[in-house]
């Protein structure tokens, strides 16, 4: 394995981490607002807030880590993506700001403020959409080079079926991942009502997720034949992903082993996400930018990888501690203790 | 619409807003840690309560600091893509390390905040604060290293537009780094201390005469004094750094037009058609500041081509920063000595109002200092390598984004103040002490 692939793999892992915990976070916010709207707040709010409050900042770091890392390993991405993504990413920052401030403001100040909860909930749907634009653009065809500067063609972007398939997938997957996780969490907390409701959501959102995923592969056939061909060669990964998906649905349907169901779901997304990533190789932005011509110099790459390993040695035990204190702490999960500052 | 100008305005707006919260984010964990430590050592519940109440307010500022920090992190690439493409090759390492420090802090802050009263032993809980404070300070260290690099780029060779011989460590340990890092971290502690002192003094003036606030005031002003002394000492070293490596910044800040020996320091004054009026001149002081000797020659603006000279208004920023810094140092020194020698006037209303004024003033000083440092390296984004205009985006949408972000910061700014006020006014310390007494069966007064 060469160092370029190592670099992009590291970043891909972190992006996956963000997508997974981000999806739980985004979806939870949406379900929270939705339950407020339909008068079922009593059922869901406790479960959701108990899980999310201690980890909101950590979720954000995964994103920061990814974008700092990609500029570090692949500085040319700043040139191509920087100028063209000004508008969509600025919107994403503003949405993130609403989310970031929510837990602190809600917990310590404006408890139960309805308007804020709705704003927060709707960002849960808008954020996956605005961030997934980056994935759409990376398929090529939306950026042109004018006078040596990259320019994004918004008309083309917003009229492309590919764009909308990816948007639908990101939203459906967010709600699916989130409800499946929260079903497990609510079940652990012994909250049967919430478990029941969330289980229903998980089953509802499973199908749009898988249909949109299939749709994207279909769209790519026209949009980027090279990528489509490459996806074919990785078919076993996508097949495993599908099997895991069916396994998750089966377990949730039969109302048993929610923990196993969620691990299968993680497996499903791991295979699909890494299959997608591998088939994208070697392009960061088709056809202008590959991981080879944008890679940083050797000295920096080595320094970054050393820093990365040292950082992980520090982070993994800390993350484990965080999970043990909150996610896997029976007393905390059941809400028997609520000793925040 | 000129994207360069608007990119500059948007970056300045984001950073000016971010540093308020970021500085609190660096300094307050140290104060919480100290309060918790004193509380454990003296077995004094008041200090533990102090730590807890500070921590609660701190959460709000951290939230805003995190989101605006994410904003500036992304804006670097969105607004300055050409700069990031070049600089990313050389300075990615400290940027990367900064996210690790931030990660570390985020994890332990989450644990710390949600485990109050979970440990019987307060010392265990105190241990969680160490990584929080370390993470916070180290993010400041690493991000300041990036900024120092922009002032004194090194660690690479640029041959025909190609970067060769990149050495990330040499880039990190550039000449601007020691003074910048020391000044940024030291003044962050100082700022937070004076902010918390102002709050304590304000509560004492407004109704409450509780010993809790007196303890808070004593602790914060002591810390404030120590770090304002460090700010002055490091400020002097920064002057020497500038004279050696960035003489045009020093000369512009001091309105030192002609290269000369025995150079006087100009304080205050106004610039009118190239002439300095109403200024106080301190003989030889600039030579001492720059080189540590009365007679040393100090390079003036006459040595630089017009297009390399930063705007001359930075002199006013220098004056503001130094004046406020010195005033606060004196104020805290008088308070310290006064408490020790039992001078009654340090507990008078007037003196307390002065301490209250120190809260906003220290933030004005902070902003002035950063504007001085940043505007002082214009017209370069990477000194002597890339002009600011060459680094900017070519997108036409920057003005619209400027409006959007201005609105965002307005909402966040007002929101955080409203939430903080409500949080503390609804639950004053007297009430909280009473509540805890009932909970525990009366072991604190």
């Amino acid at each position: 394995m060469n160092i370029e692939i190592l670099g992009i793999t590291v970043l891909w892992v972190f992006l996956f981490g963000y997508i997974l915990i981000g999806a739980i976070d985004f979806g939870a916010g949406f379900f929270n607002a939705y339950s407020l709207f339909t008068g079922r707040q009593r059922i869901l709010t406790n479960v959701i807030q108990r899980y999310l409050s201690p980890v909101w900042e950590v979720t954000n770091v995964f994103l920061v880590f990814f974008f700092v890392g990609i500029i570090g390993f692949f500085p040319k991405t700043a040139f191509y993506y920087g100028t063209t993504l000004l508008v969509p990413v600025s919107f994403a920052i503003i949405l993130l700001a609403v989310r970031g401030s929510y837990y602190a403001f809600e917990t310590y100040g404006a408890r139960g403020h309805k308007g804020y909860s709705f704003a927060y909930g709707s960002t849960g749907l808008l954020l996956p959409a605005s961030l997934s634009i980056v994935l759409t653009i990376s398929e090529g065809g939306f950026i042109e080079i004018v006078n040596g500067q990259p320019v994004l063609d918004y008309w083309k972007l917003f009229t492309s079926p590919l764009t909308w398939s990816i948007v639908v997938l990101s939203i459906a997957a967010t709600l699916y991942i989130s409800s499946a996780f929260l079903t497990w969490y609510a079940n652990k907390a012994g909250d049967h009502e919430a478990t029941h409701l969330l289980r229903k959501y998980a089953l509802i959102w499973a199908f749009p997720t898988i249909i949109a995923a299939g749709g994207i592969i279909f769209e790519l056939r026209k949009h980027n034949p090279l990528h489509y061909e490459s996806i074919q060669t990785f078919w076993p990964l996508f097949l495993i992903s599908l099997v895991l998906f069916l396994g998750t649905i089966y377990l949730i349907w039969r109302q048993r082993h929610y923990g196993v169901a969620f691990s299968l779901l993680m497996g499903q997304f791991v295979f699909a996400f890494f299959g997608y990533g591998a088939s994208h190789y070697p392009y960061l932005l088709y056809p202008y930018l590959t991981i080879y011509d944008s890679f940083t110099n050797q000295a920096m790459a080595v320094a970054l990888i050393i820093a990365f390993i040292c950082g992980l040695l520090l982070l993994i035990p800390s993350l484990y501690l965080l999970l043990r204190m909150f996610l896997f702490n029976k007393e905390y999960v059941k809400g028997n203790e609520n000793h925040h500052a | 619409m000129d994207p360069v100008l608007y990119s500059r305005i948007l970056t300045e707006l984001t950073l000016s807003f971010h540093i308020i919260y970021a500085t609190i984010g660096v300094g307050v964990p140290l104060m919480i840690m100290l309060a918790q430590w004193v509380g454990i050592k003296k077995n004094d519940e008041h200090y533990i309560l102090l730590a807890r109440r500070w921590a609660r307010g701190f959460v709000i500022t951290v939230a805003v600091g995190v989101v605006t920090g994410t904003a500036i992190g992304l804006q670097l690439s969105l607004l300055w893509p050409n700069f990031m493409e070049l600089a990313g090759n050389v300075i990615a390492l400290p940027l990367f390390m900064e996210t690790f420090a931030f990660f570390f802090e985020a994890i332990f802050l989450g644990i710390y905040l949600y485990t109050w009263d979970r440990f019987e032993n307060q010392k265990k809980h105190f241990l969680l604060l160490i990584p929080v404070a370390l993470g916070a300070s180290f993010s400041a260290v690493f991000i300041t290293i990036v900024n120092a690099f922009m002032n004194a780029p090194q660690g690479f060779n640029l041959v025909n537009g190609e970067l060769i011989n990149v050495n990330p460590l040499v880039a990190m340990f550039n000449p601007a780094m020691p003074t910048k890092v020391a000044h940024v971290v030291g003044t962050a502690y100082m700022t937070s201390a004076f902010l918390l002192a102002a709050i304590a003094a304000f509560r004492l003036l407004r109704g409450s005469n509780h010993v809790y606030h007196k303890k808070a005031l004593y602790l914060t002003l002591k810390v404030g004094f120590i770090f304002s002394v460090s700010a002055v000492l490091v400020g002097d070293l920064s002057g020497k750094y500038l004279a050696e490596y960035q003489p045009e910044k020093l000369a512009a800040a001091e309105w030192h037009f002609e290269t000369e020996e025995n150079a006087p320091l100009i304080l205050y004054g106004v610039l009118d058609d190239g002439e300095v009026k109403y200024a106080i001149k301190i003989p030889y002081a600039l030579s001492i500041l720059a080189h540590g000797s009365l007679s040393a020659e100090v390079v003036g603006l006459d040595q630089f081509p017009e297009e390399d000279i930063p705007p001359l208004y930075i002199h006013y920023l220098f004056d503001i920063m130094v004046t406020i810094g010195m005033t606060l140092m004196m104020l805290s020194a008088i308070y310290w000595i006064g408490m020790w020698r039992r001078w009654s006037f340090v507990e008078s209303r007037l003196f307390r109002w002065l301490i209250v004024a120190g809260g906003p003033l220290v933030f004005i000083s902070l902003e002035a200092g950063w504007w001085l440092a940043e505007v002082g390296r214009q017209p370069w984004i990477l000194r002597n390598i890339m002009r600011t205009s060459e680094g900017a985006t070519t997108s036409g949408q920057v003005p619209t984004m400027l409006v959007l972000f201005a609105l965002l910061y307005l909402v966040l700014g007002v929101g955080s103040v409203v939430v903080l006020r409500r949080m503390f006014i609804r639950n004053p310390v007297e009430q909280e002490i009473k509540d805890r007494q009932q909970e525990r069966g009366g072991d604190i007064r």
Side-chain angles (χ1 to χ4, degrees), chain B residues 46-62:
Chain B
H46 285 143
Y47 285 98
I48 304 276
L49 193 60
L50 200 58
R52 182 172 193 159
R53 286 172 70 87
W54 281 345
R56 227 180 275 151
F58 177 63
V59 187
I60 308 296
T61 58
V62 164

Side-chain angles (χ1 to χ4, degrees), chain A residues 19-72:
Chain A
I19 286 179
L20 195 72
I21 61 172
I24 294 173
D25 185 274
F26 298 160
F30 176 77
F31 288 128
N32 187 34
Y34 181 71
S35 68
L36 218 69
F37 187 68
T38 53
R40 274 177 283 201
Q41 180 198 10
R42 200 182 48 78
I43 309 179
L44 291 188
T45 300
N46 272 338
V47 168
I48 290 173
Q49 295 228 331
R50 212 174 301 140
Y51 161 68
L52 288 176
S53 307
V55 298
W56 59 266
E57 217 191 341
V58 176
T59 311
N60 210 45
V61 189
F62 271 89
L63 176 68
V64 175
F65 201 98
F66 175 74
F67 72 71
V68 170
I70 199 157
I71 301 295

Side-chain angles (χ1 to χ4, degrees), chain A residues 10-11 14 53-54 56-58 60-65 67-69 71-73 75-76 78-79 81-83 85-87 89-91 93-94 96-101 103-105 107-111 116 149-150 154 295-297 299-300 303-305 307-312 314-315 318-319 321-322 324-326 329 332 337-341, chain B residues 10 52 55-56 59-60 62-64 66-67 69-75 77-82 84-100 102-119 128 163 166-168 392-398 401 404-405 408 411-412 415-416 419 422-423 426:
Chain A
V10 163
L11 294 175
F14 267 85
S53 307
W56 59 266
E57 217 191 341
V58 176
N60 210 45
V61 189
F62 271 89
L63 176 68
V64 175
F65 201 98
F67 72 71
V68 170
I71 301 295
F73 279 106
K76 275 207 176 70
F79 174 71
Y81 283 114
T83 304
L85 290 177
L86 177 68
V87 176
V89 175
S90 292
F91 274 113
I93 298 172
I94 290 170
L96 281 171
V98 173
R99 297 194 77 76
S101 53
Y103 281 108
F105 284 21
T107 312
Y108 294 99
R111 184 167 280 285
Y116 205 10
Q149 292 289 337
Y154 282 98
F295 199 60
T296 189
N297 55 81
M300 181 54 83
L304 287 179
I305 286 171
F308 178 74
I309 292 169
C310 297
L312 279 190
L314 206 65
L315 284 187
S318 318
L319 272 174
L321 185 66
L322 183 75
R324 262 210 38 193
M325 298 212 101
F326 299 106
N329 183 299
Y332 180 82
E337 293 183 19
N338 189 21
H339 291 313
H340 62 73
Chain B
L10 179 49
R52 182 172 193 159
R56 227 180 275 151
V59 187
I60 308 296
V62 164
V64 179
V66 167
V67 297
T70 310
I72 189 63
L74 280 160
Q75 279 177 359
S77 300
L78 297 173
L79 299 174
W80 310 98
N82 300 313
M84 282 305 277
E85 188 195 351
L86 178 72
N89 281 296
V90 196
I91 205 65
L93 183 62
L95 267 179
F96 201 61
M97 289 160 90
E98 197 261 352
T99 57
F100 271 117
F102 172 38
F103 215 143
F104 198 52
E105 180 197 347
I107 291 173
F108 283 94
L109 184 65
I111 301 178
Y112 175 78
L113 288 175
Y114 288 89
T115 52
W116 272 97
D117 298 349
R118 194 145 137 188
F119 303 107
L128 291 169
L163 279 169
V166 175
N167 187 333
T393 178
T394 45
S395 171
Q397 277 105 0
V398 188
M401 296 303 117
L404 272 182
F405 278 102
L408 172 70
V411 170
L412 286 177
S416 55
V419 171
R422 197 184 292 172
M423 201 157 102
R426 274 192 194 163

Side-chain angles (χ1 to χ4, degrees), chain B residues 186-225:
Chain B
T187 50
Y189 298 150
M190 169 184 161
T191 306
S192 306
F194 281 108
L195 170 70
L196 297 172
I199 295 172
F202 188 73
R203 290 307 306 153
L204 283 172
L205 281 163
R206 280 296 158 101
S208 173
N209 199 29
H210 202 282
V211 61
Y212 165 90
H213 297 300
K214 290 184 183 161
K215 287 176 181 172
L217 194 61
Y218 189 70
L219 177 67
T220 50
L221 280 183
K222 210 162 161 179
V223 175
F225 173 69

Side-chain angles (χ1 to χ4, degrees), chain B residues 232-303:
Chain B
V232 171
L233 294 178
V234 177
D236 178 63
L237 291 175
S238 304
K240 296 189 169 39
Y241 156 76
L242 286 178
E244 179 91 21
Y245 294 94
Q246 262 179 304
E248 75 280 12
K249 193 193 251 183
L250 184 69
E254 308 299 347
W255 287 346
H256 186 59
F257 297 102
E258 270 150 46
T259 306
E260 61 183 350
E261 294 168 4
N262 311 327
L265 182 72
I266 294 178
L267 275 183
Y268 313 110
V270 288
L271 198 62
D272 187 18
D273 262 343
E275 259 190 61
V276 182
K277 287 185 183 160
Y278 317 115
I280 302 170
K281 272 193 185 182
I282 307 175
Y284 308 111
L286 187 58
S287 286
I288 295 176
L289 178 71
H291 299 288
S293 131
L294 287 175
S295 58
E297 184 183 81
V298 182
V299 179
L301 288 171
D302 55 349
Q303 302 290 313

